[in-house]
Amino acid sequence: MPYVDRQNRICGFLDIEEHENSGKFLRRYFILDTQANCLLWYMDNPQNLAVGAGAVGALQLTYISKVSIATPKQKPKTPFCFVINALSQRYFLQANDQKDLKDWVEALNQASKITVPKGGGLPVTTEVLKSLAAPPALEKKPQVAYKTEIIGGVVVHTPISQNGGDGQEGSEPGSHAILRRSQSYIPTSGCRASTGPPLIKSGYCVKQGNVRKSWKRRFFALDDFTICYFKCEQEFKTSLANMAKPRLY
């Protein structure tokens, strides 16, 4: 059964399928390290291995979408088996007994859990967009007309001043127009070229699907013109290297 070591990591032996659908399981020593955000497995307990012996496998917890008990159809001859779904790959592991199986599934699901805050008011992003759309004023503001343009596949709403000019020309430096999703835009190249604008922020967020309303962890990249998301950080780096087609949000 798994136990917690002195570094607050969950450890124990499991059998892992060498290759998916190969049916060959190998005994390995697993360490679930939530601080390092990864699941590692070794040939044996690292204390029994030679100095400098590294892990034979690793999986980032941010890549895990679900951990569940394997169905009899998936592994009919492998009792106490569970499966880790990570990106487009599945890892089948076999526990020692039913309690061992339950403990590992619960620990892995808890470590890779995606927490979505419940709605209780306006999201921060909505408040930020409102503040960007119109600067605060003490007096009642007159109605403002907007010019709608499609720039680089993104719908941009620009305030129009009373003299007919664009509101951006007389606006303060650093102000941004509101960017909305373009439903008809299909990117023909990467999110941005390597010589394009620098990143403002990048990192993992959770995103709700458009058709299936489930939440998935995705890697987002924001620059001055677009916000793109990828399955993982590695896919983002690859898209910058070979200009692969990302998803545009």
Side-chain angles (χ1 to χ4, degrees):
M1 66 178 355
Y3 67 94
V4 180
D5 66 2
R6 295 180 180 179
Q7 301 180 45
N8 202 32
R9 303 176 304 180
I10 298 177
C11 309
F13 281 98
L14 291 168
D15 295 334
I16 183 170
E17 191 173 31
E18 185 176 16
H19 303 290
E20 187 174 346
N21 297 324
S22 67
K24 182 180 180 181
F25 283 78
L26 303 175
R27 191 71 166 173
R28 295 290 180 258
Y29 185 84
F30 283 78
I31 297 179
L32 175 58
D33 192 342
T34 55
Q35 296 296 325
N37 189 40
C38 63
L39 175 68
L40 304 169
W41 53 96
Y42 298 80
M43 295 291 292
D44 195 359
N45 189 325
Q47 296 179 355
N48 302 330
L49 297 176
V51 178
V56 295
L59 177 63
Q60 289 192 31
L61 299 181
T62 50
Y63 293 168
I64 297 176
S65 57
K66 184 181 180 181
V67 182
S68 59
I69 298 175
T71 63
K73 185 177 180 180
Q74 290 175 321
K75 295 296 175 184
K77 299 181 180 180
T78 310
F80 315 122
C81 184
F82 64 96
V83 56
I84 299 176
N85 294 277
L87 300 181
S88 59
Q89 191 170 356
R90 296 185 302 175
Y91 298 84
F92 287 93
L93 300 98
Q94 184 180 22
N96 298 318
D97 50 41
Q98 187 63 34
K99 187 178 186 309
D100 196 28
L101 169 66
K102 181 181 177 181
D103 290 345
W104 273 110
V105 171
E106 289 182 354
L108 287 166
N109 274 321
Q110 184 65 30
S112 60
K113 184 178 180 181
I114 297 176
T115 304
V116 180
K118 295 181 179 180
L122 291 176
V124 176
T125 52
T126 305
E127 297 174 356
V128 172
L129 287 177
K130 282 190 173 183
S131 65
L132 293 176
L138 297 177
E139 299 178 358
K140 184 178 180 180
K141 298 174 291 184
Q143 294 183 352
V144 180
Y146 289 87
K147 179 177 68 173
T148 303
E149 299 175 295
I150 298 179
I151 302 176
V154 178
V155 180
V156 179
H157 298 271
T158 307
I160 301 175
S161 60
Q162 294 181 355
N163 59 8
D166 292 346
Q168 283 185 333
E169 295 179 0
S171 61
E172 296 180 359
S175 62
H176 298 274
I178 300 177
L179 299 182
R180 300 177 185 270
R181 180 179 181 179
S182 174
Q183 300 290 344
S184 60
Y185 175 65
I186 300 177
T188 57
S189 62
C191 173
R192 59 186 186 90
S194 57
T195 57
L199 281 179
I200 297 174
K201 189 172 182 64
S202 63
Y204 281 96
C205 297
V206 291
K207 173 188 172 296
Q208 189 177 37
N210 186 34
V211 179
R212 296 182 179 181
K213 300 302 180 181
S214 59
W215 294 86
K216 299 291 185 182
R217 184 182 280 107
R218 295 291 182 257
F219 187 85
F220 283 76
L222 171 68
D223 59 29
D224 285 330
F225 302 101
T226 58
I227 178 168
C228 300
Y229 68 90
F230 305 81
K231 280 188 176 181
C232 59
E233 185 177 2
Q234 183 59 40
E235 183 182 285
F236 165 66
K237 293 178 180 179
T238 303
S239 71
L240 295 182
N242 57 16
M243 302 300 290
K245 294 181 181 179
R247 301 163 184 79
L248 179 68
Y249 179 81

